Amino acid sequence: MFPRKPSLRSAVEPFIAMDVLSAAAKLESEGRNIVHMEVGQPGAPAPAGVLEAARLALQDGRLGYTEALGVRALRQRIARHYGDAYGIDLDPERVAVTTGSSAGFMLAFLGVFDAGARIAMAAPGYPAYRNILSVLGLEAVEIPVGPDTHWVLTPDHLRRAHRETPLSGLLIASPANPTGTMTSPEELEALIVTCNELGIRFISDEIYHGLDFAGRAETALKFSDEAIVINSFSKYYCMTGWRIGWMVLPEYLVRPMECLAQSLYISVPDLSQRAAIAAFDCTPELEAIKAGYARNRALLLERMPKLGFEAIPPADGAFYVYASVARFTNDSTSFARRMLEEGGVAATPGADFDPARGHLTMRFSFAGAEEAMQEGLSRLERWLA
């Protein structure tokens, strides 16, 4: 009889934001009304042009496998986007379409690191990074950041960590999840230069590009053709459930990534790819949605400190407010559970993003409708009174 237990590699920490979403969904199934501020999911649907492209694709009648790297038309449109948005002449052959950014991270980690490699990242940071790395037999090196460096990693952080035990990679997100802080173009270039000097692979998570409120997010491709860039249609383009993203790769990594993708998931859903081509032509609608986020951001940054949520990073981009709850608790997980059950507001405890310090913090997403954000704050005010 085989042992009735899971594999050792499956023993990763839960993605707490998704657990909160599940708990909220259970309460909703029981008739409760919940304000969702737990997951990074736009409250708006995909833009009209995307929906129309999907309708036309369905009328075509045949949805099948595509090339593992994605349909040529979408890869070409993504490459053109880099010219339009960043002034970069990008060869479409360097673009790989993926099943969301999650598959991009999986491919990147598998394609450039061997088992045991150490990859640095900021803490607080996106929890799935460390969980994917753990499953693949890699080590996440979480480097604490705080207000002294605007909540971003610096070359000094990197050099110190590399001196202690050599690093193989660095993963940077700008705008960042959960803090919303941005690495300036100058800081980004300095990190890439430092990585090149130390022989460290640079991976840039740019899925929140387009969602910037204080300055402009720059792509790592501006400073290096060796960087691996990962992006997604989920955030700015409001296409979370379509599960489609992309990577930009150095030329010598394209074929290895293609071979991995062929066996891991064959190809990205045909329907999502056809629809995504239209997303780049929906800028007016998407900018109107972004303006709603900006109003939500201003509302939360004004009212949350008055409610007792403190030490909030600048929230320069993305759609999150990351705040200290030390005034109320030293156990943000329990606090989040009570907030959901008693107050009807779902938010994510900081333990998801920072295992060492997250017991004192929480993340609130302001990606929902403006009316929902108003209601959420009103509920918090009543619950905390």
Side-chain angles (χ1 to χ4, degrees):
M1 182 69 176
F2 57 82
R4 298 187 67 183
K5 61 181 181 180
S7 69
L8 293 176
R9 73 174 59 195
S10 71
V12 296
E13 294 298 318
F15 193 165
I16 300 175
M18 300 307 296
D19 281 352
V20 175
L21 177 65
S22 294
K26 182 176 185 297
L27 291 176
E28 287 174 322
S29 73
E30 298 167 356
R32 291 281 302 277
N33 177 274
I34 303 298
V35 175
H36 289 274
M37 303 176 76
E38 77 277 36
V39 292
Q41 175 159 260
V50 168
L51 298 177
E52 179 60 22
R55 277 190 285 268
L56 291 173
L58 288 171
Q59 289 173 12
D60 180 50
R62 184 182 185 280
L63 296 172
Y65 293 139
T66 73
E67 296 177 73
L69 291 176
V71 298
R72 297 299 173 111
L74 179 54
R75 295 169 69 195
Q76 290 166 354
R77 188 62 187 87
I78 291 170
R80 192 176 117 201
H81 165 71
Y82 279 88
D84 296 341
Y86 307 103
I88 292 174
D89 183 13
L90 178 63
D91 183 352
E93 294 297 316
R94 293 177 56 196
V95 176
V97 183
T98 60
T99 49
S101 63
S102 299
F105 294 120
M106 181 75 75
L107 290 174
F109 298 158
L110 280 170
V112 298
F113 301 120
D114 291 318
R118 305 175 76 248
I119 294 85
M121 61 199 65
Y126 181 52
Y129 297 153
R130 77 174 100 90
N131 289 346
I132 296 172
L133 289 167
S134 174
V135 167
L136 298 179
L138 304 166
E139 181 181 352
V141 180
E142 297 182 275
I143 301 175
V145 297
D148 57 320
T149 63
H150 195 73
W151 298 83
V152 300
L153 277 175
T154 67
D156 286 342
H157 284 129
L158 190 61
R159 291 183 187 281
R160 284 197 297 270
H162 189 66
R163 278 198 301 268
E164 290 175 6
T165 308
L167 299 168
S168 297
L170 172 65
L171 174 55
I172 291 293
S174 177
N177 175 9
T179 59
T181 51
M182 288 167 55
T183 303
S184 72
E186 296 77 17
E187 293 167 329
L188 184 62
E189 182 178 21
L191 280 169
I192 290 172
V193 168
T194 303
C195 282
N196 290 341
E197 291 175 358
L198 299 176
I200 296 171
R201 170 74 65 183
F202 190 89
I203 302 174
S204 184
D205 177 354
E206 301 182 0
I207 70 171
Y208 292 101
H209 274 216
L211 298 176
D212 39 32
F213 308 103
R216 179 178 174 277
E218 187 60 88
T219 178
L221 299 176
K222 197 82 167 184
F223 308 112
S224 174
D225 285 335
E226 293 291 318
I228 295 174
V229 167
I230 297 174
N231 209 320
S232 172
F233 288 94
S234 290
K235 308 302 182 179
Y236 178 74
Y237 300 100
C238 301
M239 295 178 67
T240 50
W242 300 73
R243 305 314 304 135
I244 182 165
W246 75 85
M247 308 172 71
V248 180
L249 301 162
E251 290 181 5
Y252 63 90
L253 286 177
V254 173
R255 179 57 177 164
M257 297 296 185
E258 181 179 24
C259 292
L260 284 168
Q262 288 170 343
S263 291
L264 287 175
Y265 55 83
I266 300 178
S267 66
V268 177
D270 191 2
L271 178 64
S272 296
Q273 294 190 67
R274 295 198 217 179
I277 295 170
F280 294 106
D281 298 320
C282 298
T283 302
E285 185 176 350
L286 294 168
E287 285 297 302
I289 294 168
K290 178 181 174 180
Y293 299 152
R295 291 188 290 271
N296 289 345
R297 171 182 179 267
L299 178 68
L300 265 65
L301 290 179
E302 176 194 1
R303 290 188 57 184
M304 292 195 72
K306 296 176 182 177
L307 295 177
F309 297 97
E310 302 168 328
I312 298 173
D316 298 329
F319 34 50
Y320 306 113
V321 165
Y322 191 66
S324 169
V325 291
R327 180 173 175 179
F328 309 112
T329 184
N330 62 2
D331 182 356
S332 61
T333 300
S334 174
F335 187 75
R337 186 181 306 114
R338 291 189 292 112
M339 180 186 296
L340 172 61
E341 295 173 353
E342 300 167 10
V345 177
T348 304
D352 218 12
F353 313 101
D354 189 342
R357 301 174 295 172
H359 60 290
L360 296 175
T361 57
M362 288 188 67
R363 188 194 73 177
F364 297 82
S365 169
F366 55 81
E370 295 176 56
E371 297 79 7
M373 297 300 100
Q374 291 275 10
E375 174 63 19
L377 289 168
S378 296
R379 291 186 185 187
L380 287 175
E381 185 173 18
R382 293 192 296 270
W383 183 64
L384 293 168

